Amino acid sequence: MSGTPKRTSSTNIEGGATFRRTSNTARGSVSAVGRRSEAGLQFTRTQDDLTRPSATKKDMSEWLVKLEHMFTVTPQRMRMIVDGFVEVLEKGLAKEGEDVPMLPTYVFGWPTGQEKGAYLAVDLGGTNLRVCHVELEGDGKFEVTQTKYRLTEEQKHADGPELIDFCAECLGRFVQDHYADDDGNVILDEPLSLGFTFSYPCVQEAIDHGVLLRWTKGFGAPNIEGHDVAAMFKKSLAKFDVPVELVALINDTTGTLIASAYVDTATRAGIIFGTGCNAAYMEKISSIPKIADKGLDQTEEMAINCEWGAFDSSTHEHLPRTPYDVIIDETSNKPGQQAFEKMIAGLYLGEVFRLVMIELIDEGVLFLGQETYKVEKPFGFDTAFLSLIESDTTDELLTVTGLFSHFYSLDTTIKERQFFKRLAQLIGTRAARLSACGIAAIVSKQGYLEDGCGIATDGSLYNKYPKFPERLGEGLVDIFGEKGKGIRTYHAEDGSGVGAAVIAAMTKARLLAGK
Ligand code: BGC
């Protein structure tokens, strides 16, 4: 079944004029800083400014010792976390209402790799809304064409039905652009089949059904929690007369699992380390006691969307939370939820860093005598900045200099810059090591260690954060010893696009087979 996917670089077609698109994001300007620093245009200061008051080296190194202690997750601690994690995963399969809900997805078994046909996919994940046309060619091959639309903060908190309407409108525009004849009419023999990737915890009772349990990743649109998102989307499609049939509602992790298995049979789990974090894997239906009464074929398997970001949310007995993690939780729009995710995911790492800075500003250790209001804005320090700081290999840490002066109008001493680099390393390493605990829990529970396995992984942290994959690997060796090397993480196929299409194809095949 495995074959070489035709990795067509997904085309970004011009988005509709009425929608904001991805290109002008803040992240674009971050990389611009990197470039400027390389060119040496902006950052000429190589000596500390000795005339301004500066914290003593001792203050900073004392703080570092404290922070290293807080943020280091020892191998022994990791193994304890894994043990607790395995128990929690099992509890979620046994009973409804657990912290980690272990959601049945109604995606039955693995793809054959021979799934074929044209499908549409809509992906509402975190930062963007994406609409894709996916052509599955069999032999694990595919071609993707996509358009991205940037979601505004207002949209994330607008009335729920409005947000879903927006998704349907974007899809309608996409269909119009791709399928209309010269007169602008879309004439089809049958409605196009759609996989809707909705990357939030949904309780499903069928593949085309899903009640939103709770928003995550800072979303808060009212009037969706507790509602069937698939039904809402179908209503919006009818409202805008979009000739599309919603076949499957999926989570991005399930999509990642299936898209990667479509091209590589070694795949055993699909994981996202991005704005949020989560994992999906394939479970024997006979090992999911909470759906024993559904009359499903007990010899089959079903993908489970773990929603592991919620690990340790109510008891706080497993994770080494720092006071900064507690502040993030308590000031978030969802306090008491997603404890694991808030220590790991891209949405939060920059804020952890910023909160440490704020404490040290208050303690009179950093930026003495300077106006610091720009770093005082909550969530005003992007996780992409940690990536930049960690990637700065210049002796004087010139990218760090530029970052602080450009975005926050702050001068930094070399000691401060070295401190920031170490702090970024601590936060990034902790995220990777805790992530390794989650992977290890699935591996242990499923007995994948002996033979080794493939873990398909996607998301900005895995793909862009320096050394994140290497640190994951080191973490797995710290947990399992040398055998941990047999757990291979690799960049996943596009779960929310290709995965949604493969799942739609698998679902149609099951329906045709009368299942
Ligand atoms: C959501 C998951 C999702 C993950 C990665 C989490 O916040 O709850 O459903 O898979 O983010 O996107």
Side-chain angles (χ1 to χ4, degrees):
M1 114 174 184
S2 65
T4 326
K6 209 194 272 176
R7 252 168 254 270
T8 350
S9 53
S10 315
T11 328
N12 244 351
I13 304 161
E14 281 303 303
T18 47
F19 308 119
R20 283 181 60 191
R21 297 182 52 244
T22 33
S23 43
N24 296 327
T25 63
R27 281 190 178 77
S29 23
V30 173
S31 52
V33 172
R35 278 202 300 279
R36 273 200 296 276
S37 81
E38 275 157 32
L41 296 177
Q42 191 176 4
F43 317 126
T44 49
R45 198 166 63 88
T46 56
Q47 298 273 321
D48 288 346
D49 180 353
L50 298 174
T51 58
R52 81 176 169 82
S54 164
T56 62
K57 187 177 170 212
K58 186 156 161 278
D59 274 349
M60 241 180 275
S61 43
E62 276 169 6
W63 269 96
L64 256 189
V65 172
K66 230 175 163 173
L67 291 163
E68 297 211 351
H69 181 70
M70 271 193 228
F71 283 94
T72 300
V73 193
T74 63
Q76 194 197 6
R77 184 73 194 251
M78 291 172 90
R79 289 190 284 265
M80 284 165 63
I81 295 172
V82 175
D83 290 345
F85 219 133
V86 173
E87 272 177 35
V88 165
L89 298 182
E90 272 159 4
K91 273 192 193 164
L93 290 174
K95 232 165 94 233
E96 303 291 351
E98 292 293 311
D99 256 4
V100 175
M102 303 295 277
L103 301 167
T105 61
Y106 293 83
V107 173
F108 294 95
W110 300 103
T112 60
Q114 295 311 323
E115 287 77 6
K116 287 191 182 146
Y119 295 88
L120 292 175
V122 166
D123 170 20
L124 183 68
T127 320
N128 301 307
L129 171 71
R130 197 162 60 109
V131 181
C132 313
H133 174 274
V134 184
E135 188 74 43
L136 298 176
E137 297 170 350
D139 290 331
K141 293 185 187 149
F142 54 82
E143 233 172 280
V144 180
T145 314
Q146 67 174 21
T147 302
K148 278 187 185 179
Y149 306 90
R150 177 84 170 168
L151 284 171
T152 62
E153 280 311 306
E154 295 76 57
Q155 277 167 326
K156 293 180 191 173
H157 297 273
D159 193 41
E162 259 178 53
L163 177 63
I164 300 295
D165 273 357
F166 175 70
C167 299
E169 270 185 278
C170 291
L171 176 63
R173 173 71 64 99
F174 185 90
V175 169
Q176 187 70 33
D177 287 349
H178 289 264
Y179 291 89
D181 60 21
D182 292 346
D183 300 326
N185 300 315
V186 177
I187 298 163
L188 301 164
D189 294 339
E190 55 177 26
L192 299 156
S193 297
L194 171 87
F196 181 19
T197 306
F198 183 76
S199 303
Y200 305 89
C202 285
V203 177
Q204 296 191 268
E205 297 206 337
I207 185 86
D208 61 346
H209 163 269
V211 173
L212 176 62
L213 204 52
R214 53 180 169 256
W215 280 119
T216 56
K217 294 181 278 202
F219 271 61
N223 301 319
I224 302 196
E225 284 172 321
H227 295 267
D228 176 1
V229 179
M232 290 176 75
F233 195 64
K234 284 179 191 168
K235 203 168 151 196
S236 299
L237 290 177
K239 179 170 165 186
F240 295 101
D241 210 10
V242 185
V244 165
E245 183 195 8
L246 188 150
V247 174
L249 181 79
I250 69 161
N251 187 262
D252 51 358
T253 54
T254 317
T256 298
L257 174 73
I258 297 298
S260 301
Y262 182 67
V263 299
D264 182 350
T265 49
T267 305
R268 288 292 166 270
I271 306 199
I272 303 287
F273 296 115
T275 309
C277 81
N278 187 18
Y281 73 103
M282 198 60 75
E283 184 60 273
K284 292 191 281 300
I285 293 184
S286 57
S287 302
I288 319 174
K290 67 181 177 185
I291 53 166
D293 62 350
K294 299 271 181 212
L296 299 171
D297 181 348
Q298 297 293 306
T299 63
E300 280 198 306
E301 292 185 303
M302 190 195 283
I304 293 290
N305 163 20
C306 302
E307 289 295 337
W308 77 11
F311 175 57
D312 211 26
S313 291
S314 48
T315 52
H316 300 306
E317 59 184 324
H318 300 291
L319 297 171
R321 290 208 306 170
T322 66
Y324 313 107
D325 302 305
V326 176
I327 297 175
I328 288 190
D329 183 39
E330 287 175 354
T331 56
S332 75
N333 71 332
K334 294 284 180 186
Q337 294 179 11
Q338 302 296 96
F340 187 55
E341 175 163 278
K342 284 171 178 162
M343 297 172 81
I344 291 178
L347 182 57
Y348 303 102
L349 298 188
E351 183 63 1
V352 176
F353 186 100
R354 194 191 70 84
L355 288 171
V356 176
M357 274 197 306
I358 295 300
E359 177 161 26
L360 269 67
I361 291 169
D362 290 348
E363 290 288 323
V365 178
L366 293 175
F367 306 125
L368 292 186
Q370 297 191 68
E371 193 50 78
T372 53
Y373 70 95
K374 284 190 181 168
V375 281
E376 279 159 31
K377 189 168 154 261
F379 284 86
F381 202 87
D382 201 308
T383 300
F385 290 170
L386 271 66
S387 297
L388 273 180
I389 293 172
E390 280 219 48
S391 321
D392 189 346
T393 50
T394 62
D395 287 345
E396 297 288 334
L397 299 175
L398 294 178
T399 304
V400 185
T401 308
L403 192 153
F404 279 95
S405 71
H406 181 86
F407 288 98
Y408 304 100
S409 312
L410 287 168
D411 286 337
T412 47
T413 65
I414 183 70
K415 292 281 170 278
E416 283 169 331
R417 297 196 290 279
Q418 285 163 346
F419 172 84
F420 292 140
K421 184 156 181 182
R422 182 67 192 128
L423 179 61
Q425 281 165 353
L426 286 174
I427 294 170
T429 304
R430 183 187 72 157
R433 290 174 75 77
L434 292 177
S435 303
C437 295
I439 296 176
I442 291 181
V443 167
S444 298
K445 193 187 116 26
Q446 297 302 94
Y448 296 149
L449 186 61
E450 279 311 310
D451 296 340
C453 67
I455 307 285
T457 313
D458 210 349
S460 47
L461 272 188
Y462 187 81
N463 299 334
K464 297 195 187 137
Y465 199 99
K467 302 206 191 96
F468 191 86
E470 291 82 350
R471 288 169 180 165
L472 268 186
E474 283 159 21
L476 289 166
V477 170
D478 280 350
I479 294 166
F480 292 127
E482 283 301 295
K483 278 196 179 153
K485 290 188 177 156
I487 305 161
R488 212 166 37 91
T489 69
Y490 45 84
H491 177 65
E493 297 303 331
D494 166 17
S496 315
V498 177
V502 177
I503 291 171
M506 288 167 70
T507 306
K508 287 196 86 176
R510 277 181 77 85
L511 288 174
L512 275 175
K515 290 193 180 171

